[in-house]
Amino acid sequence: MKSPKPLRAEIRYKIRDDGTGMWAVYDVFTGLTAELNGIPQDGLAFEVARYMVGDLNNVYIARRNGTTH
């Protein structure tokens, strides 16, 4: 069974073409490329970027709900 789609207010990260034929994960609030442990999340294959978006949004939702720190 698929997980329900997050509400629009719970989506902080999305994917965009980074201009090189690869993909970048970006923060919809700032417009900046997302970083994970100081590493910009750009130059990614589409499937990797899609996976990263899901993980980053899940962490964001958990933090908003107070279930992680």
Side-chain angles (χ1 to χ4, degrees):
M1 180 191 316
K2 281 183 138 181
S3 303
K5 278 182 101 174
L7 299 174
R8 183 177 284 282
E10 294 180 332
I11 296 175
R12 179 163 186 168
Y13 300 97
K14 290 188 176 183
I15 301 169
R16 66 180 167 207
D17 183 330
D18 73 1
T20 67
M22 301 300 284
W23 299 89
V25 177
Y26 73 100
D27 183 324
V28 298
F29 298 141
T30 66
L32 299 174
T33 301
E35 291 186 2
L36 184 61
N37 297 325
I39 301 169
Q41 297 303 296
D42 59 2
L44 304 172
F46 181 77
E47 290 300 320
V48 174
R50 193 172 76 153
Y51 177 83
M52 291 303 302
V53 162
D55 278 357
L56 289 170
N57 280 320
N58 286 337
V59 169
Y60 174 68
I61 292 165
R63 284 187 178 165
R64 283 189 47 157
N65 292 334
T67 57
T68 188
H69 33 255

